[in-house]
C-alpha cells in the first residue's frame, strides 16, 4: 500500500463521526508516514477551537480558512490527512484534495455516526433542536458528493484497527 501511494497523500473524507481521525492515525502509523488532522491544524494556526471559530466568524470564514490550510497541507507528501466533514463538500477545497492525492470516503450509516457524535459536544453544525435529524439531512445532502472520492470504504461498528486494515487493502 505504501508503494501505491508514492509521494501522494492519503486523504480521509466523510461525515463527522465516520472515524476519519482515529482510522487515519492508525493508517499513517502502518504506512510509517506522518499523520495530520486538518481540524487540529486549523485550531493550531488560528489559536481558536472550531466552535470558537464558528461563533466568532461564521461558517463561511471557517471554510475559507479550511481551504487555505488544506491547500498548504497537501502541497507535499506522502502524508495521511484527515479532513473536517465539510472539507470535501466545499468546491475549492475538494479541488485541492483531488489534486493532492488519493481520497478515501469513510461511509457510515446514520446510527453509527450518531452513536459517535452524540457523545461529544464539539460540532457547531449539530447545535440544533434535533441534531440527529440535522445529521440525517447532512447525509442526504453530502453523500452524492463524498461519492466522488477515489475510494469508498464502509465504516462499520468495528474496532478502528480493523477499519484501518480495510483502508490499506482498498488502496492497493
Ligand atoms: C464539519 C465537521 C467538523 C468540523 C466542523 C464542520 C462539517 O469536522 O470541521 O465542525 O461541516 O461536517 P469533523 O468531521 O472532524 O467532526
Amino acid at each position: 500500500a505504501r508503494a501505491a501511494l508514492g509521494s501522494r497523500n492519503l486523504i480521509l473524507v466523510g461525515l463527522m463521526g465516520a472515524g476519519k481521525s482515529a482510522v487515519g492515525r492508525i493508517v499513517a502509523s502502518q504506512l510509517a508516514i506522518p499523520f495530520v488532522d486538518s481540524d487540529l491544524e486549523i485550531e493550531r494556526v488560528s489559536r481558536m477551537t472550531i466552535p470558537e471559530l464558528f461563533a466568532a466568524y461564521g461558517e463561511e470564514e471557517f471554510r475559507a480558512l479550511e481551504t487555505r490550510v488544506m491547500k498548504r497541507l497537501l502541497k507535499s507528501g506522502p502524508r495521511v490527512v484527515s479532513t473536517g466533514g465539510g472539507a470535501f463538500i466545499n468546491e475549492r477545497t475538494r479541488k485541492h484534495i483531488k489534486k493532492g492525492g488519493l481520497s478515501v470516503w469513510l461511509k457510515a450509516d446514520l446510527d453509527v455516526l450518531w452513536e459517535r457524535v452524540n457523545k461529544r459536544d464539539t460540532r457547531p453544525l449539530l447545535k440544533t433542536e434535533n441534531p440527529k435529524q440535522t445529521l440525517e439531512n447532512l447525509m442526504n445532502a453530502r453523500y452524492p458528493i463524498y461519492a466522488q472520492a477515489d475510494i469508498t470504504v464502509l465504516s462499520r461498528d468495528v474496532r478502528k484497527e480493523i477499519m484501518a486494515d480495510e483502508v490499506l487493502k482498498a488502496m492497493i
Side-chain angles (χ1 to χ4, degrees):
R2 174 66 192 83
L5 205 55
S7 65
R8 292 180 303 162
N9 295 294
L10 183 73
I11 306 131
L12 294 163
V13 307
L15 266 185
M16 317 171 232
K20 293 164 292 189
S21 303
V23 173
R25 211 175 284 281
I26 300 170
V27 170
S29 98
Q30 298 277 2
L31 294 173
I33 61 179
F35 169 73
V36 193
D37 179 323
S38 74
D39 277 340
L40 291 182
E41 186 62 15
I42 289 168
E43 294 187 332
R44 195 180 66 78
V45 300
S46 66
R47 297 199 190 85
M48 290 170 90
T49 65
I50 305 266
E52 283 168 355
L53 279 168
F54 266 72
Y57 302 114
E59 180 169 357
E60 211 175 309
E61 279 293 312
F62 171 79
R63 295 299 170 203
L65 177 59
E66 182 174 57
T67 302
R68 289 201 298 279
V69 167
M70 288 298 299
K71 181 181 176 186
R72 185 172 50 74
L73 282 182
L74 295 173
K75 264 206 180 115
S76 54
R79 286 186 177 128
V80 176
V81 180
S82 72
T83 62
F88 199 69
I89 304 306
N90 180 277
E91 195 183 340
R92 291 184 54 209
T93 311
R94 185 166 63 248
K95 276 189 188 143
H96 293 304
I97 294 175
K98 281 299 221 172
K99 236 177 80 182
L102 193 67
S103 47
V104 179
W105 175 23
L106 284 186
K107 180 180 183 181
D109 67 31
L110 181 60
D111 287 323
V112 169
L113 297 171
W114 177 244
E115 172 73 23
R116 296 185 188 142
V117 296
N118 196 12
K119 290 182 195 136
R120 284 174 57 208
D121 193 22
T122 56
R123 269 87 177 201
L125 289 184
L126 296 182
K127 295 219 171 302
T128 61
E129 254 174 41
N130 186 346
K132 193 173 180 184
Q133 182 62 54
T134 305
L135 192 59
E136 191 172 10
N137 295 345
L138 283 171
M139 280 182 71
N140 292 333
R142 290 177 169 184
Y143 274 24
I145 303 176
Y146 291 138
Q148 296 173 36
D150 298 315
I151 298 172
T152 298
V153 174
L154 288 182
S155 176
R156 294 165 296 114
D157 206 4
V158 295
R159 285 188 306 117
K160 52 196 179 194
E161 287 77 10
I162 296 180
M163 287 309 312
D165 227 48
E166 292 186 6
V167 169
L168 289 165
K169 283 196 195 109
M171 283 169 60
I172 310 167

